Amino acid sequence: MTQVGIIGAGPAGLMLSHLLHRQGIASVVLERRSRDYVERRVRAGVLEQGSTDLLASTGVGERMTREGLAHDGIKLRFAGEEHRIDFRRLTGRGITVYGQQEVIKDLIKQRLADGGEIWFDAEATGVEGIDGDHPRVAYRRKGEEASLTCEFVAGCDGSHGVARVGLEAKSYERSYPFSWLGVLAKTPPASNELIYAYHERGFALHSMRSPEISRLYLQVDADDTMDAWPTARIWDELRVRLAEPNLQTGQVIEAAITPMRSLVTEPMQCGRLFLAGDAAHIVPATGAKGMNLALADVKVLAEALTAWYRSKSRDLLDDYSDRCLRRVWRAEQFSAWMTALLHHDPAGDPFDHKLRLSYLRYIVKSDAAATTLAENYVGFEVA
Ligand code: APR
Ligand code: PHB
Protein backbone atom coordinates (compact mmCIF):
# COMPACT_ATOMS: atom_id res chain seq x y z
CA MET A 1 0.00 0.00 0.00
CA THR A 2 1.30 3.45 -0.88
CA GLN A 3 -0.17 6.86 -1.64
CA VAL A 4 0.87 7.15 -5.29
CA GLY A 5 1.77 4.13 -7.43
CA ILE A 6 4.01 5.26 -10.28
CA ILE A 7 4.57 3.06 -13.31
CA GLY A 8 7.90 3.75 -15.06
CA ALA A 9 11.28 5.13 -13.98
CA GLY A 10 11.84 7.53 -16.87
CA PRO A 11 12.13 11.29 -16.37
CA ALA A 12 8.37 11.56 -15.71
CA GLY A 13 8.07 8.80 -13.09
CA LEU A 14 11.29 9.57 -11.23
CA MET A 15 10.71 13.32 -11.14
CA LEU A 16 7.14 12.80 -9.94
CA SER A 17 8.27 10.61 -7.06
CA HIS A 18 10.96 13.17 -6.18
CA LEU A 19 8.49 16.11 -6.21
CA LEU A 20 5.95 14.15 -4.15
CA HIS A 21 8.59 13.19 -1.59
CA ARG A 22 9.44 16.88 -1.15
CA GLN A 23 5.78 17.41 -0.19
CA GLY A 24 5.73 14.47 2.20
CA ILE A 25 3.73 12.21 -0.15
CA ALA A 26 4.81 8.58 -0.39
CA SER A 27 5.14 6.73 -3.69
CA VAL A 28 6.46 3.50 -5.16
CA VAL A 29 7.97 3.46 -8.64
CA LEU A 30 7.60 0.21 -10.59
CA GLU A 31 10.13 -0.16 -13.42
CA ARG A 32 10.21 -3.18 -15.68
CA ARG A 33 13.90 -2.77 -16.58
CA SER A 34 16.99 -2.96 -14.36
CA ARG A 35 18.65 0.11 -12.87
CA ASP A 36 21.66 -0.46 -15.10
CA TYR A 37 19.47 -0.60 -18.20
CA VAL A 38 17.60 2.65 -17.54
CA GLU A 39 20.80 4.46 -16.60
CA ARG A 40 22.43 3.48 -19.89
CA ARG A 41 19.51 3.93 -22.28
CA VAL A 42 20.47 6.69 -24.72
CA ARG A 43 17.63 9.12 -25.35
CA ALA A 44 17.03 12.84 -25.79
CA GLY A 45 19.42 15.56 -24.65
CA VAL A 46 17.94 19.06 -24.73
CA LEU A 47 16.55 20.78 -21.62
CA GLU A 48 14.52 23.97 -21.78
CA GLN A 49 15.05 26.62 -19.15
CA GLY A 50 11.85 25.53 -17.36
CA SER A 51 13.27 21.99 -17.06
CA THR A 52 16.69 23.08 -15.81
CA ASP A 53 14.97 25.40 -13.32
CA LEU A 54 12.83 22.50 -12.06
CA LEU A 55 15.86 20.22 -11.60
CA ALA A 56 17.95 22.93 -9.96
CA SER A 57 15.24 24.32 -7.67
CA THR A 58 14.39 20.87 -6.31
CA GLY A 59 17.97 19.88 -5.51
CA VAL A 60 18.74 17.52 -8.40
CA GLY A 61 20.52 19.94 -10.71
CA GLU A 62 23.99 20.07 -9.23
CA ARG A 63 25.76 17.85 -11.80
CA MET A 64 23.63 19.26 -14.65
CA THR A 65 24.73 22.80 -13.71
CA ARG A 66 28.35 21.62 -13.70
CA GLU A 67 28.42 19.30 -16.72
CA GLY A 68 25.47 20.42 -18.87
CA LEU A 69 26.39 22.43 -21.95
CA ALA A 70 24.70 25.84 -22.09
CA HIS A 71 23.72 26.81 -25.64
CA ASP A 72 22.42 30.17 -26.82
CA GLY A 73 21.45 29.18 -30.34
CA ILE A 74 21.46 26.58 -33.09
CA LYS A 75 22.80 26.45 -36.62
CA LEU A 76 20.65 25.81 -39.65
CA ARG A 77 22.31 24.45 -42.78
CA PHE A 78 20.69 24.10 -46.19
CA ALA A 79 21.58 24.63 -49.86
CA GLY A 80 25.25 25.11 -49.00
CA GLU A 81 24.50 27.96 -46.56
CA GLU A 82 24.81 28.20 -42.80
CA HIS A 83 22.86 30.53 -40.54
CA ARG A 84 22.73 30.86 -36.80
CA ILE A 85 19.48 31.33 -34.90
CA ASP A 86 20.43 33.36 -31.86
CA PHE A 87 17.98 32.24 -29.16
CA ARG A 88 19.47 34.54 -26.54
CA ARG A 89 19.09 37.68 -28.66
CA LEU A 90 15.62 36.72 -29.90
CA THR A 91 14.11 35.40 -26.66
CA GLY A 92 16.50 36.15 -23.80
CA ARG A 93 16.69 32.43 -23.13
CA GLY A 94 18.87 29.45 -23.98
CA ILE A 95 18.89 25.66 -23.64
CA THR A 96 21.06 23.10 -21.86
CA VAL A 97 22.41 20.00 -23.57
CA TYR A 98 22.46 17.22 -20.96
CA GLY A 99 21.65 13.59 -21.74
CA GLN A 100 18.38 12.13 -20.53
CA GLN A 101 20.21 9.18 -18.98
CA GLU A 102 22.23 11.65 -16.90
CA VAL A 103 18.97 13.16 -15.62
CA ILE A 104 17.86 9.59 -14.85
CA LYS A 105 21.07 8.81 -12.93
CA ASP A 106 20.78 12.03 -10.89
CA LEU A 107 17.13 11.38 -10.01
CA ILE A 108 17.66 7.72 -9.06
CA LYS A 109 20.62 8.66 -6.86
CA GLN A 110 18.58 11.32 -5.06
CA ARG A 111 15.51 9.10 -4.64
CA LEU A 112 17.59 6.30 -3.14
CA ALA A 113 19.46 8.75 -0.88
CA ASP A 114 16.06 9.98 0.35
CA GLY A 115 14.92 6.42 1.06
CA GLY A 116 12.66 6.35 -1.99
CA GLU A 117 11.12 3.13 -3.26
CA ILE A 118 12.05 2.23 -6.82
CA TRP A 119 11.32 -1.38 -7.64
CA PHE A 120 13.42 -2.35 -10.64
CA ASP A 121 12.63 -5.46 -12.72
CA ALA A 122 8.96 -5.04 -11.74
CA GLU A 123 6.67 -4.96 -14.76
CA ALA A 124 3.19 -3.52 -14.41
CA THR A 125 0.66 -5.70 -16.21
CA GLY A 126 -2.50 -3.67 -15.65
CA VAL A 127 -4.28 -1.03 -13.60
CA GLU A 128 -7.54 -1.83 -11.81
CA GLY A 129 -10.17 0.02 -9.81
CA ILE A 130 -9.40 3.55 -11.02
CA ASP A 131 -12.99 4.63 -10.35
CA GLY A 132 -12.72 3.76 -6.65
CA ASP A 133 -10.59 5.15 -3.79
CA HIS A 134 -7.98 2.40 -3.91
CA PRO A 135 -6.79 1.60 -7.40
CA ARG A 136 -4.31 -1.25 -7.83
CA VAL A 137 -1.36 -1.82 -10.11
CA ALA A 138 -0.94 -5.48 -11.01
CA TYR A 139 2.70 -6.35 -11.58
CA ARG A 140 5.14 -9.18 -12.14
CA ARG A 141 8.48 -9.31 -10.32
CA LYS A 142 10.94 -12.20 -10.43
CA GLY A 143 8.26 -14.42 -11.93
CA GLU A 144 5.78 -13.65 -9.11
CA GLU A 145 2.45 -11.90 -9.75
CA ALA A 146 1.36 -9.34 -7.16
CA SER A 147 -0.50 -6.06 -6.90
CA LEU A 148 0.20 -2.69 -5.34
CA THR A 149 -2.73 -0.86 -3.75
CA CYS A 150 -2.53 2.93 -3.87
CA GLU A 151 -4.63 6.08 -3.63
CA PHE A 152 -3.61 7.33 -7.07
CA VAL A 153 -1.84 5.78 -10.04
CA ALA A 154 0.52 7.72 -12.31
CA GLY A 155 1.09 6.08 -15.67
CA CYS A 156 4.61 7.27 -16.55
CA ASP A 157 5.37 4.13 -18.54
CA GLY A 158 6.36 5.62 -21.89
CA SER A 159 5.08 5.07 -25.37
CA HIS A 160 4.57 1.29 -25.04
CA GLY A 161 3.17 1.31 -21.53
CA VAL A 162 0.16 -0.46 -20.07
CA ALA A 163 -1.42 2.41 -18.13
CA ARG A 164 -3.02 3.91 -21.24
CA VAL A 165 -4.76 0.63 -22.08
CA GLY A 166 -8.34 0.74 -20.92
CA LEU A 167 -8.40 4.51 -20.43
CA GLU A 168 -11.43 5.95 -22.12
CA ALA A 169 -9.66 8.52 -24.23
CA LYS A 170 -9.33 9.69 -27.78
CA SER A 171 -6.01 9.37 -29.59
CA TYR A 172 -4.84 11.89 -32.15
CA GLU A 173 -2.03 10.41 -34.18
CA ARG A 174 0.33 10.99 -37.09
CA SER A 175 3.05 8.77 -38.47
CA TYR A 176 5.85 9.90 -40.75
CA PRO A 177 7.39 8.10 -43.74
CA PHE A 178 10.86 8.28 -42.18
CA SER A 179 12.74 7.41 -38.98
CA TRP A 180 15.86 8.70 -37.23
CA LEU A 181 19.06 6.73 -37.02
CA GLY A 182 20.78 7.98 -33.86
CA VAL A 183 24.49 7.47 -33.23
CA LEU A 184 26.46 8.07 -30.06
CA ALA A 185 30.13 8.36 -31.07
CA LYS A 186 33.43 8.82 -29.33
CA THR A 187 34.49 11.90 -31.22
CA PRO A 188 34.67 15.54 -30.11
CA PRO A 189 31.68 17.58 -31.33
CA ALA A 190 32.58 19.17 -34.66
CA SER A 191 30.72 22.35 -33.74
CA ASN A 192 30.02 24.06 -30.43
CA GLU A 193 26.30 24.25 -31.29
CA LEU A 194 23.63 21.93 -32.62
CA ILE A 195 23.47 21.82 -36.42
CA TYR A 196 20.10 21.12 -38.04
CA ALA A 197 20.81 20.29 -41.70
CA TYR A 198 18.22 20.10 -44.44
CA HIS A 199 19.59 18.20 -47.44
CA GLU A 200 18.08 16.67 -50.54
CA ARG A 201 19.34 13.28 -49.31
CA GLY A 202 17.51 13.82 -46.02
CA PHE A 203 17.78 15.58 -42.69
CA ALA A 204 20.84 15.32 -40.42
CA LEU A 205 21.47 16.63 -36.92
CA HIS A 206 24.71 17.22 -35.10
CA SER A 207 24.40 17.21 -31.32
CA MET A 208 26.64 16.27 -28.44
CA ARG A 209 26.83 14.93 -24.92
CA SER A 210 30.23 16.14 -23.71
CA PRO A 211 33.48 17.61 -25.09
CA GLU A 212 34.44 14.04 -26.11
CA ILE A 213 31.11 12.54 -27.19
CA SER A 214 28.99 13.48 -30.21
CA ARG A 215 25.35 12.59 -30.78
CA LEU A 216 24.43 12.44 -34.45
CA TYR A 217 21.21 11.69 -36.29
CA LEU A 218 20.25 10.84 -39.87
CA GLN A 219 16.83 10.71 -41.50
CA VAL A 220 16.37 7.17 -42.85
CA ASP A 221 13.44 5.39 -44.48
CA ALA A 222 10.71 4.26 -42.11
CA ASP A 223 11.30 0.61 -43.01
CA ASP A 224 15.12 0.72 -42.83
CA THR A 225 16.87 -1.57 -40.36
CA MET A 226 20.43 -1.25 -39.04
CA ASP A 227 21.50 -3.91 -41.58
CA ALA A 228 21.16 -1.25 -44.27
CA TRP A 229 23.45 1.08 -42.32
CA PRO A 230 26.99 -0.23 -41.85
CA THR A 231 29.19 2.23 -39.93
CA ALA A 232 31.02 3.49 -43.04
CA ARG A 233 27.71 4.41 -44.69
CA ILE A 234 26.58 6.31 -41.59
CA TRP A 235 29.72 8.47 -41.56
CA ASP A 236 29.62 9.04 -45.35
CA GLU A 237 26.04 10.20 -45.15
CA LEU A 238 26.68 12.42 -42.12
CA ARG A 239 29.60 14.05 -43.94
CA VAL A 240 27.52 14.78 -47.05
CA ARG A 241 24.39 16.02 -45.27
CA LEU A 242 26.01 18.00 -42.45
CA ALA A 243 28.72 19.41 -44.75
CA GLU A 244 30.81 19.92 -41.63
CA PRO A 245 34.56 19.91 -42.38
CA ASN A 246 35.45 19.35 -38.69
CA LEU A 247 33.41 16.17 -38.39
CA GLN A 248 35.72 13.30 -37.44
CA THR A 249 34.78 9.66 -37.33
CA GLY A 250 35.09 7.90 -34.00
CA GLN A 251 34.09 4.69 -32.26
CA VAL A 252 30.33 4.17 -32.47
CA ILE A 253 29.18 3.52 -28.89
CA GLU A 254 25.53 3.06 -29.77
CA ALA A 255 23.42 3.18 -32.93
CA ALA A 256 19.68 2.60 -33.27
CA ILE A 257 16.72 3.55 -35.43
CA THR A 258 13.70 5.26 -33.84
CA PRO A 259 10.42 5.83 -35.68
CA MET A 260 8.99 9.34 -35.87
CA ARG A 261 5.52 9.68 -34.44
CA SER A 262 3.08 12.24 -33.14
CA LEU A 263 0.43 11.12 -30.65
CA VAL A 264 -1.80 12.80 -28.09
CA THR A 265 -4.17 10.99 -25.70
CA GLU A 266 -7.09 13.13 -24.58
CA PRO A 267 -7.92 13.38 -21.75
CA MET A 268 -4.75 12.34 -19.95
CA GLN A 269 -6.69 11.12 -16.92
CA CYS A 270 -9.59 8.99 -15.78
CA GLY A 271 -10.77 8.58 -12.18
CA ARG A 272 -7.64 8.08 -10.08
CA LEU A 273 -5.34 7.29 -13.02
CA PHE A 274 -3.19 10.08 -14.47
CA LEU A 275 -0.90 9.72 -17.48
CA ALA A 276 2.30 11.75 -17.84
CA GLY A 277 5.09 12.03 -20.41
CA ASP A 278 5.38 9.66 -23.36
CA ALA A 279 2.56 7.52 -21.90
CA ALA A 280 0.20 10.35 -22.84
CA HIS A 281 1.86 11.98 -25.83
CA ILE A 282 4.69 11.47 -28.28
CA VAL A 283 6.45 14.09 -30.38
CA PRO A 284 8.83 13.56 -33.28
CA ALA A 285 12.30 14.35 -31.92
CA THR A 286 13.01 17.28 -34.27
CA GLY A 287 11.75 19.87 -31.78
CA ALA A 288 13.61 18.33 -28.80
CA LYS A 289 10.48 18.46 -26.66
CA GLY A 290 9.94 14.90 -25.30
CA MET A 291 11.82 15.10 -22.02
CA ASN A 292 10.65 18.67 -21.39
CA LEU A 293 6.99 17.73 -21.76
CA ALA A 294 7.46 14.78 -19.41
CA LEU A 295 8.95 17.03 -16.72
CA ALA A 296 6.32 19.74 -17.25
CA ASP A 297 3.46 17.21 -16.87
CA VAL A 298 4.68 15.86 -13.54
CA LYS A 299 5.25 19.34 -12.15
CA VAL A 300 1.54 20.00 -12.74
CA LEU A 301 0.57 16.58 -11.40
CA ALA A 302 2.66 16.95 -8.25
CA GLU A 303 1.02 20.33 -7.54
CA ALA A 304 -2.42 18.83 -8.01
CA LEU A 305 -1.72 15.82 -5.77
CA THR A 306 -0.19 18.09 -3.14
CA ALA A 307 -3.35 20.23 -3.13
CA TRP A 308 -5.46 17.08 -2.77
CA TYR A 309 -3.45 15.74 0.17
CA ARG A 310 -3.44 19.18 1.86
CA SER A 311 -7.12 20.08 1.47
CA LYS A 312 -8.83 17.10 -0.18
CA SER A 313 -9.68 19.49 -3.02
CA ARG A 314 -9.99 17.74 -6.40
CA ASP A 315 -10.02 21.00 -8.40
CA LEU A 316 -6.39 20.90 -9.53
CA LEU A 317 -6.59 17.16 -10.17
CA ASP A 318 -9.66 17.71 -12.34
CA ASP A 319 -7.79 20.41 -14.30
CA TYR A 320 -4.65 18.30 -14.76
CA SER A 321 -5.27 17.17 -18.31
CA ASP A 322 -6.48 20.56 -19.58
CA ARG A 323 -3.50 22.35 -18.07
CA CYS A 324 -1.02 19.89 -19.60
CA LEU A 325 -2.66 19.67 -23.00
CA ARG A 326 -2.23 23.35 -23.77
CA ARG A 327 1.55 22.94 -23.56
CA VAL A 328 1.42 19.52 -25.21
CA TRP A 329 -0.41 20.77 -28.30
CA ARG A 330 1.96 23.74 -28.64
CA ALA A 331 4.86 21.29 -28.61
CA GLU A 332 3.05 18.92 -30.98
CA GLN A 333 2.46 21.70 -33.51
CA PHE A 334 6.04 22.96 -33.24
CA SER A 335 7.53 19.46 -33.51
CA ALA A 336 5.40 18.52 -36.53
CA TRP A 337 6.28 21.85 -38.17
CA MET A 338 10.05 21.49 -37.56
CA THR A 339 9.81 17.94 -38.87
CA ALA A 340 8.00 18.98 -42.05
CA LEU A 341 10.40 21.88 -42.56
CA LEU A 342 13.62 19.89 -42.26
CA HIS A 343 12.91 16.43 -43.67
CA HIS A 344 13.10 15.36 -47.24
CA ASP A 345 9.81 13.85 -48.36
CA PRO A 346 10.55 10.37 -49.77
CA ALA A 347 7.49 10.69 -52.04
CA GLY A 348 9.64 13.42 -53.58
CA ASP A 349 7.49 16.41 -54.43
CA PRO A 350 9.89 19.03 -55.88
CA PHE A 351 7.38 21.80 -55.14
CA ASP A 352 7.50 21.00 -51.42
CA HIS A 353 11.29 21.00 -51.55
CA LYS A 354 11.24 24.53 -53.00
CA LEU A 355 8.72 25.67 -50.37
CA ARG A 356 10.96 24.33 -47.60
CA LEU A 357 14.00 26.14 -48.96
CA SER A 358 12.00 29.34 -49.27
CA TYR A 359 10.76 29.06 -45.68
CA LEU A 360 14.26 28.35 -44.38
CA ARG A 361 15.52 31.47 -46.19
CA TYR A 362 12.63 33.43 -44.67
CA ILE A 363 13.57 32.24 -41.17
CA VAL A 364 17.17 33.33 -41.53
CA LYS A 365 16.25 36.74 -42.99
CA SER A 366 13.29 37.67 -40.81
CA ASP A 367 13.50 38.15 -37.05
CA ALA A 368 9.75 37.54 -36.87
CA ALA A 369 10.10 34.09 -38.47
CA ALA A 370 13.28 33.28 -36.51
CA THR A 371 11.57 34.29 -33.27
CA THR A 372 8.73 31.87 -33.98
CA LEU A 373 11.26 29.06 -34.15
CA ALA A 374 13.36 30.34 -31.23
CA GLU A 375 10.56 30.98 -28.72
CA ASN A 376 9.06 27.56 -29.34
CA TYR A 377 12.43 25.81 -29.21
CA VAL A 378 13.43 27.33 -25.86
CA GLY A 379 9.94 26.59 -24.51
CA PHE A 380 6.92 28.82 -25.03
CA GLU A 381 4.92 29.42 -21.87
CA VAL A 382 1.32 28.84 -22.91
CA ALA A 383 -0.33 29.59 -19.58
N1 APR B 1 5.90 -1.63 -16.13
C1 APR B 1 6.91 -0.93 -15.56
N2 APR B 1 7.68 -0.05 -16.24
C2 APR B 1 7.40 0.15 -17.54
C3 APR B 1 6.36 -0.55 -18.20
C4 APR B 1 5.60 -1.47 -17.44
N3 APR B 1 4.61 -2.16 -17.99
N4 APR B 1 6.34 -0.15 -19.50
C5 APR B 1 7.33 0.74 -19.63
N5 APR B 1 7.98 0.94 -18.48
C6 APR B 1 9.10 1.84 -18.19
C7 APR B 1 10.16 1.89 -19.26
O1 APR B 1 11.11 0.83 -19.14
C8 APR B 1 10.79 3.25 -19.02
O2 APR B 1 11.86 3.19 -18.11
O3 APR B 1 8.59 3.15 -18.13
C9 APR B 1 9.65 4.06 -18.40
C10 APR B 1 9.15 5.16 -19.30
O4 APR B 1 10.16 6.11 -19.46
P1 APR B 1 10.35 6.97 -20.80
O5 APR B 1 10.12 6.13 -21.98
O6 APR B 1 11.66 7.66 -20.67
O7 APR B 1 9.13 8.02 -20.74
P2 APR B 1 8.96 9.39 -19.94
O8 APR B 1 9.40 9.31 -18.53
O9 APR B 1 7.58 9.83 -20.27
O10 APR B 1 9.98 10.38 -20.64
C11 APR B 1 9.81 10.85 -21.96
O11 APR B 1 11.66 9.72 -22.93
O12 APR B 1 11.58 8.52 -24.92
C12 APR B 1 11.95 9.67 -24.33
O13 APR B 1 11.76 11.26 -26.08
C13 APR B 1 11.19 10.79 -24.91
O14 APR B 1 12.53 12.35 -23.92
C14 APR B 1 11.26 11.75 -23.82
C15 APR B 1 11.17 10.99 -22.57
C1 PHB C 1 19.90 15.08 -28.86
O1 PHB C 1 20.95 15.65 -28.52
O2 PHB C 1 19.70 13.89 -28.59
C2 PHB C 1 18.88 15.84 -29.64
C3 PHB C 1 19.05 17.18 -29.87
C4 PHB C 1 18.10 17.87 -30.59
C5 PHB C 1 16.99 17.22 -31.07
C6 PHB C 1 16.80 15.88 -30.82
C7 PHB C 1 17.74 15.16 -30.10
O3 PHB C 1 16.09 17.92 -31.81
Side-chain angles (χ1 to χ4, degrees), residues 7-13 30-33 38 41 43-44 100 122-124 156-158 160-162 276-279 290-291 294:
I7 313 174
L30 298 168
E31 167 57 53
R32 76 184 168 115
R33 303 285 191 178
V38 297
R41 188 167 43 192
R43 290 275 186 81
Q100 183 167 315
E123 178 172 12
C156 304
D157 46 354
H160 303 291
V162 294
D278 273 19
M291 176 166 41

Side-chain angles (χ1 to χ4, degrees), residues 56-67:
S57 67
T58 62
V60 281
E62 192 260 330
R63 198 163 65 91
M64 172 201 69
T65 308
R66 204 163 11 97
E67 295 177 18

Side-chain angles (χ1 to χ4, degrees), residues 43-46 180 194 196 205 207 209 215 217 285-288 377:
R43 290 275 186 81
V46 173
W180 273 19
L194 270 61
Y196 285 80
L205 170 61
S207 181
R209 287 295 177 270
R215 179 75 171 144
Y217 294 97
T286 328
Y377 197 102

